[in-house]
Amino acid sequence: MQQTVLALVSERKKLVSTIKDLVIENLELDLEPHQVDEDCPLFGVGLALDSIDALQLVLSVEREFDMTVPTDDVTIFRSINTIADFIERSKD
Amino acid sequence: MTRADIEKLLPHRKPFLLVDEVTSVKPGQRVTGLKFLEPDDPVFEGHFPTDPIMPGVLIAEACGQLGAIALALESGDVDERAQSGKATGYLASINKFKFHSPCRPGDTLEMTVSVGKRMQSLIQLVCAVKTGRRKVASGDLTVALQ
């Protein structure tokens, strides 16, 4: 049981790390992964990304995880953690 | 589609209308078109005087204009669109565009633009350009429709 939980935690950490790298690399942010908080808002305050970045982020998530991302649900891209939640939900 | 029809759809004019002919179009999905690189085009006088080549940014711009035609025709045919107003799209980003080989006066750019992901007023255009069998450029643009 504990091993299963540990495996899930490890998998989640790996996913979050991949998303952080994706955001930094594709949007050419001058940040290190440890400087991006998983719950930090990506748009508006926080990382202050704009709508053009949003479309780029959608495309890069689709490419990296080989999935289709709806563009009418703005809650998916609220933070790194919400993107991870969406990807995990999509796998189920 | 002739130059006259293209001018009914786009607000661009000489010397900045960079689509000479539309060879096929699936409204809202895909469009192919041509740009003839006339040897007397003033752009070649300066780019470059002893080695004239088509500037890459103009190739990307030509693809954006061609993509706007596919988007304009989503809401009606050429004459209906001419009545309702020309499509104005603004280039919002040029993403990972590659220029594989130079184009020179006398070449014809054969451009294919596919309409990709849409997010509110932003639209991804996937572009591929060749001249004859030679790959010239490829990449993505994002345009903002007004």
Side-chain angles (χ1 to χ4, degrees):
Chain A
M1 175 69 180
Q2 195 182 352
Q3 277 190 330
T4 312
V5 173
L6 287 175
L8 286 173
V9 170
S10 164
E11 212 170 287
R12 172 75 180 200
K13 278 187 177 170
K14 201 174 151 193
L15 177 61
V16 164
S17 169
T18 304
I19 297 168
K20 279 188 185 183
D21 290 343
L22 201 67
V23 170
I24 291 170
E25 196 182 311
N26 281 276
L27 303 181
E28 297 175 355
L29 302 180
D30 191 18
L31 292 169
E32 294 296 325
H34 71 270
Q35 294 175 292
V36 181
D37 186 275
E38 291 92 70
D39 289 314
C40 172
L42 297 177
F43 301 94
V45 289
L47 289 185
L49 302 183
D50 62 21
S51 57
I52 300 168
D53 297 323
L55 180 56
Q56 288 312 306
L57 200 49
V58 168
L59 294 171
S60 57
V61 167
E62 287 189 340
R63 265 195 305 268
E64 178 73 26
F65 297 99
D66 192 22
M67 62 195 305
T68 301
V69 179
T71 53
D72 54 354
D73 184 357
V74 290
T75 62
I76 295 170
F77 289 90
R78 209 173 271 162
S79 67
I80 299 288
N81 264 333
T82 59
I83 298 173
D85 292 343
F86 169 75
I87 293 167
E88 283 182 343
R89 274 200 312 275
S90 302
K91 282 184 192 163
D92 295 340
Chain B
M1 187 185 294
T2 62
R3 181 98 176 185
D5 285 336
I6 293 166
E7 289 191 2
K8 288 181 186 172
L9 295 172
L10 298 180
H12 311 70
R13 290 295 178 270
K14 204 176 173 185
F16 214 71
L17 176 54
L18 300 174
V19 180
D20 292 319
E21 198 177 309
V22 173
T23 48
S24 74
V25 62
K26 265 191 174 178
Q29 294 179 41
R30 196 167 185 270
V31 59
T32 58
L34 305 175
K35 162 71 182 157
F36 309 115
L37 303 187
E38 305 292 350
D40 60 354
D41 190 322
V43 79
F44 294 124
E45 287 173 25
H47 195 275
F48 300 97
T50 56
D51 181 25
I53 61 169
M54 181 68 166
V57 288
L58 293 186
I59 296 174
E61 169 65 25
C63 290
Q65 292 181 12
L66 187 63
I69 290 171
L71 295 170
L73 291 173
E74 265 184 311
S75 51
D77 65 20
V78 173
D79 290 321
E80 285 165 350
R81 284 297 311 185
Q83 295 268 319
S84 63
K86 295 179 175 66
T88 305
Y90 296 98
L91 198 53
S93 72
I94 299 177
N95 315 308
K96 295 179 180 164
F97 230 92
K98 289 181 183 170
F99 301 97
H100 306 282
S101 62
C103 292
R104 301 187 182 282
D107 285 343
T108 297
L109 301 183
E110 301 161 49
M111 304 173 283
T112 300
V113 178
S114 302
V115 179
K117 200 86 180 174
R118 298 168 188 241
M119 196 170 190
Q120 294 164 352
S121 63
L122 295 172
I123 301 171
Q124 177 204 20
L125 299 176
V126 182
C127 313
V129 185
K130 59 179 188 161
T131 178
R133 297 177 68 176
R134 182 160 53 91
K135 195 174 170 183
V136 167
S138 60
D140 285 15
L141 303 173
T142 305
V143 292
L145 279 194
Q146 293 297 308

